[in-house]
Structures are given as structure tokens and as C-alpha cells.
Amino acid sequence: MIGITKHTLAATVGSLFLGLASVNSYASEPGQDDWEVKVGAGVLVADLPWQGVDNEFALIPMADIKKGNWFSNEDATIGYQFLNIKDVFSAYAGLGYRNEGYDSLFGDNSSNSKVFEGYDAPDGELVLNYGAKFLWFGLSGHTDLSDESDATNFTFSAEVPLYESAYGFGISAQAQVRWLDADYVNTVYGISGKNINASVGRTAYQTDDNALNVTFGLNAYYQLTPEITLIGSVSRTELDDEISKSPLVGDDTMDVAFIGALYQF
């Protein structure tokens, strides 16, 4: 997957952990009504696009809990899979949390740029999450329910296995195209009202255009024991011009690397 949390660096890097949390799904499946619990943690290294931000490090917890058709993971705090056709096509809906503002993951003190002096970052959002998966392909949507951005974003993703060994090691390639509503771009990257401060370079910025971010990545896993799986991922996201033109943004790419472990009870 490619997406992150405090919940998100969760959308851009918004499906990385959810996909990695499923890499050992080839193991024996529990009964329909049994609990299936995976927990873990890892270290994230990110070259963020914000002005004045160097490489950042974060310890990221992970959890993927299922019981019957109900689930909880990084994409949905609570969700329900209402359709599953022979594990080939499935569809789900749920509620989650979305926060991709400047201080969402690493705190608001990570930049050495004056542009963030006195900056009031946007609040997080309660969102309705929904989507469908067909074999290697997925389409998902996230709609704000909390009257923050009033925006809906869509993501199309594909993850293709490149190599799987009989010893529990595998590599896959992933691509993701993420469509961001103009209202959401303005909420996260725009500058208006009291946030305008030309003396530190924070000039007014709003856009009427939607944005399209493209991500490519590689995922890898190694099943160390029947319960423990080591996971890793690297990805690069190309940001749309409507984002990179914001005075808050200093680069048009974002690079992320992650390594961690999952334990399945």
C-alpha cells in the first residue's frame, strides 16, 4: 500500500500500512466469525515536501482487526465488508479519520522555515471511507463528514506481485493515482484569512483546480514465523502543480521508506 497515519502522511503513503498489513494473508484463514488480529510497529523515514523540512523519522503503530465482515485498520476506524465474491471482488464502507495538514504526523516544530511561524494548521476530519477491490486493483473514496474541507477524494491503486518464494519471501510493485478535490487542496495547502502573513512568505494561495498525485512503490515481506512477518516499503509520490505551487510546499515529490514487523494472533 502507499498511504500513512497520524492518520495520514495515511493517504499519500493513505494506503501503505493497510496493504502491508495484508501481505501474510496467504496463511491459513480463520473461521468467518473468529477474531483475526494483526498488530505491529515500524520505523518510517520520510522526505516531506513542506518548506524547510529535512528527513523525518517516526515510530508508526499498526493494527488490523477483523471479525466476520467487521474490521478496523488504518483506513477505517470501523468498517464493514458488505460484499465478497470468492475473494475476487469485494466492497466495503466505514468511518475513519483524515489529517494531512502540516503538523499531522511529526508535530509542528519540524520545519526551519519562517513560512510556518504563526501558521494555524487545519484540523483533522471524520470521514466516510468506501471502496472496492478486484484482484490486484482497488478504488476507494473518502468523504468529509465533519464540515472541515467538505471534500471527497478518490484513489485508484494497483499492486502486482513480482516474486514469491516457498520460504515466505515476496516482493510486489504498487502504483497509485490519487484525485484531490480543490476544496481539500485549499484546506491542506491553501493560505487564507488569518494565515496570510507576507512578512514570512506566507502569501495568499487558493486554487479552483483539482489535484492529481501519482505514487510508485515497492513492498516486500518475509514471514519469519507463522505469527511474525517482517515488512518493508519504499515509495515516491509526484505532487500535482496545484500543490507544489503553495508557499507552504518546497518540493514537488515526497519519498517514504518504512520497515517494521507484524504479529498475527
Side-chain angles (χ1 to χ4, degrees):
M1 250 189 163
I2 305 172
I4 276 180
T5 166
K6 187 169 184 185
H7 175 269
T8 352
L9 178 66
T12 309
V13 224
S15 40
L16 167 63
F17 299 137
L18 180 59
L20 290 177
S22 304
V23 294
N24 57 350
S25 59
Y26 57 83
S28 58
E29 293 294 331
Q32 177 70 12
D33 294 324
D34 291 344
W35 286 94
E36 181 182 355
V37 179
K38 302 174 187 177
V39 296
V43 176
L44 172 79
V45 183
D47 182 13
L48 302 177
W50 302 111
Q51 287 276 13
V53 174
D54 297 322
N55 291 340
E56 297 285 348
F57 298 83
L59 179 64
I60 303 295
M62 296 179 291
D64 187 6
I65 303 171
K66 299 177 183 177
K67 181 174 174 59
N69 291 332
W70 292 95
F71 64 88
S72 177
N73 55 36
E74 281 76 13
D75 189 54
T77 303
I78 183 69
Y80 187 80
Q81 181 178 269
F82 56 84
L83 180 65
N84 188 341
I85 302 176
K86 298 181 179 180
D87 290 330
V88 174
F89 179 84
S90 62
Y92 68 91
L95 295 175
Y97 178 72
R98 177 173 67 186
N99 187 353
E100 297 182 78
Y102 164 67
D103 63 353
S104 64
L105 183 64
F106 298 100
D108 57 5
N109 297 314
S110 56
S111 174
N112 57 27
S113 173
K114 290 184 177 181
V115 75
F116 288 106
E117 291 182 4
Y119 173 68
D120 185 16
D123 295 327
E125 303 173 320
L126 174 68
V127 290
L128 174 65
N129 300 330
Y130 42 90
K133 296 180 181 179
F134 176 70
L135 297 176
W136 297 337
F137 306 97
L139 179 64
S140 62
H142 304 78
T143 298
D144 175 35
L145 299 177
S146 53
D147 198 30
E148 290 293 335
S149 67
D150 292 323
T152 295
N153 301 331
F154 292 101
T155 301
F156 175 77
S157 61
E159 184 169 12
V160 180
L162 300 179
Y163 175 78
E164 291 183 352
S165 78
Y167 301 100
F169 176 73
I171 300 176
S172 62
Q174 185 162 8
Q176 182 185 94
V177 178
R178 188 165 181 240
W179 181 88
L180 305 178
D181 186 286
D183 288 337
Y184 190 71
V185 175
N186 289 330
T187 297
V188 176
Y189 303 101
I191 301 170
S192 61
K194 295 180 179 179
N195 266 333
I196 298 174
N197 186 348
S199 67
V200 296
R202 204 163 60 241
T203 53
Y205 181 74
Q206 297 281 283
T207 180
D208 295 324
D209 296 326
N210 305 316
L212 201 66
N213 291 348
V214 179
T215 301
F216 295 97
L218 287 174
N219 300 330
Y221 68 87
Y222 177 67
Q223 189 166 3
L224 192 62
T225 71
E227 296 84 18
I228 300 174
T229 303
L230 305 179
I231 57 179
S233 179
V234 293
S235 68
R236 164 162 284 201
T237 298
E238 299 284 342
L239 302 179
D240 191 277
D241 288 345
E242 298 306 314
I243 293 174
S244 60
K245 288 188 296 187
S246 167
L248 303 178
V249 176
D251 202 348
D252 60 0
T253 62
M254 178 174 66
D255 297 320
V256 175
F258 175 82
I259 187 168
L262 284 168
Y263 184 88
Q264 180 170 347
F265 290 90

